[in-house]
Amino acid sequence: MAATRILQAKNLRPTQDRISLLQVVVSSPYATARALYQLVGEDESRELRPDDRYALGMLEPKQLLANLPPTVGRIVHALLTAENRLSQRDLADRAGVSARTIRNYRNRLEAFDLIRIDENGYRLAWQCLVRPV
């Protein structure tokens, strides 16, 4: 309900898949509201788009995937705030974790369909929420 109210005020329409994603990734309704508040209002009504991921990057890593170890939230946060794909080394550096930690959680993050990995590096499988205010 909070997400819908905030998005309507910004002339944005939530979709069920985006709301479901927020429920899985963000630790609390308060954190979700805080992230969505960062979105810029629109002149014309539109749905949330995959490239609207900046809002989640405004949260603290500990507010992401709180049911998993804190290092997982840091990995996802680093990907949310990255402009391009990241190599394993770059991702580890940005997240403040070891390359081994990245490897340890790689399968779990892929199983949750959160990341994609190819010869060009790591990226989010979904490109969630936001443009800066």
Side-chain angles (χ1 to χ4, degrees):
M1 288 177 19
T4 299
R5 179 176 265 168
I6 289 168
L7 293 171
Q8 284 176 343
K10 295 178 178 292
N11 212 13
L12 299 169
R13 292 184 310 273
T15 60
Q16 188 57 45
D17 63 326
R18 294 286 183 240
I19 297 300
S20 295
L21 178 64
L22 289 169
Q23 289 175 326
V24 169
V25 174
V26 183
S27 63
S28 72
Y30 174 77
T32 300
R34 184 171 158 234
L36 294 176
Y37 190 76
Q38 303 300 314
L39 290 166
V40 176
E42 299 283 335
D43 293 330
E44 293 186 30
S45 181
R46 70 167 176 86
E47 290 184 352
L48 287 177
R49 296 185 302 240
D51 63 337
D52 286 335
R53 65 180 168 83
Y54 180 80
L56 290 181
M58 299 298 288
L59 296 174
E60 295 293 322
K62 66 183 177 186
Q63 294 175 301
L64 302 169
L65 299 164
N67 57 334
L68 295 173
T71 52
V72 178
R74 293 200 314 255
I75 292 165
V76 170
H77 187 268
L79 291 169
L80 279 166
T81 58
E83 300 268 332
N84 300 304
R85 293 175 187 263
L86 297 174
S87 69
Q88 182 176 285
R89 176 78 278 162
D90 289 339
L91 178 55
D93 289 345
R94 285 185 183 212
V97 301
S98 68
R100 181 182 183 129
T101 299
I102 303 286
R103 288 189 301 276
N104 288 344
Y105 290 106
R106 173 186 172 156
N107 290 340
R108 188 178 295 186
L109 291 169
E110 285 181 306
F112 291 150
D113 201 26
L114 291 175
I115 63 170
R116 295 276 191 271
I117 305 161
D118 62 22
E119 65 278 353
N120 296 315
Y122 288 70
R123 70 172 175 86
L124 290 175
W126 41 269
Q127 299 296 317
C128 249
L129 299 169
V130 126
R131 292 216 189 303
V133 176

